[in-house]
Amino acid sequence: IFFPIFYAMMVGDFIYGIISFFIARALMKKFAPGGIMNPVAKIWMWSAIPAIISGIIYDEYAGMPHKEILGHLGFGAVELYHGIERIHNVEFLLTLCVMIGIFTMGLGFLLGFVNARRHGNNRHALAKLGWFGVLCSGTILLSSALFTALPKEYAQPSGVVFVLSLAAIVKAEGMIGLIELPSLLSNVLSFARIIAVGLVGTVIALILNEMAFPSPDKGILLIAFIPLYMLGHLFNAGMAMFESFIQGARLNYVEFYSKFFEGGGAEFSPFRFERRYLKD
């Protein structure tokens, strides 16, 4: 559910999303369903669809707004809509990414609570509920007392819930459980990589459009600029897809899955061997 959202917000370009879709579709057809690459390509292909949609929302078409493309096609200054351009809405999109992180991690803690209750581990369930309380009340507390994004009247009740949640964590995990408080904050801020990765691709696309766009005024140099421009955008699209896939998977597995997922099988024990015979 979340990975396609992360991927779409990072790629965020209509043209790059289409390239992503066709590359993933080709890979899905190339690899047999029994291997690992087939399901990876399938996830990648379906994630390209929201990436195309986010490109429309961001108004990015190979780094250009639709108004500029229409201008190059001879339609003048026609503007069909006003998108949320990433380069001009960094503060808003950064806040949105952090809020998505809070929601994702909150859901992860609730799933962890349900898993722990299902397995009869009440202490672990209490800890997950406590971390959920710390996440939600801490967000409200900071938003009302420090950033004034919420009314100041919310600070006192959220502070009470925050202290009670900490008490639940200490009861379940001991004082050592409080060591995880900084990591909780770092997990939330880790979602800022969504806008950071997206901006890198946007800036590179803007530089390509400014320096290598094959406009008629370049004359005979168009022979060199056309392949240079196309290869530049293909390379940038490839980097955007790779980074978005890796970083989106990281957010999904590290920040989300770690809050509730419990693996099975044999415990991994690297670089260990057992002696069968002892010699004095």
Side-chain angles (χ1 to χ4, degrees), residues 59 132 196 221 237 240:
D59 194 16
F132 176 77
L221 291 176

Side-chain angles (χ1 to χ4, degrees), residues 101-109 135 184 187-188 191 255 259:
I102 292 169
F103 177 80
T104 303
M105 291 175 56
L107 179 60
F109 283 129
L135 178 68
L184 181 68
N187 285 165
V188 172
F191 283 83
E255 272 70 29
K259 305 301 180 288

Side-chain angles (χ1 to χ4, degrees), residues 153-215:
E153 290 76 15
Y154 290 10
Q156 187 172 355
S158 62
V160 172
V161 175
F162 185 82
V163 172
L164 292 175
S165 300
L166 287 179
I169 294 171
V170 171
K171 181 175 177 58
E173 299 180 342
M175 291 298 295
I176 197 168
L178 299 181
I179 296 176
E180 294 296 320
L181 275 174
S183 67
L184 181 68
L185 179 61
S186 67
N187 285 165
V188 172
L189 295 179
S190 184
F191 283 83
R193 74 183 64 229
I194 294 175
I195 182 64
V197 171
L199 281 175
V200 170
T202 300
V203 171
I204 293 174
L206 287 173
I207 293 172
L208 278 169
N209 293 334
E210 184 176 344
M211 299 182 64
F213 184 77
S215 55

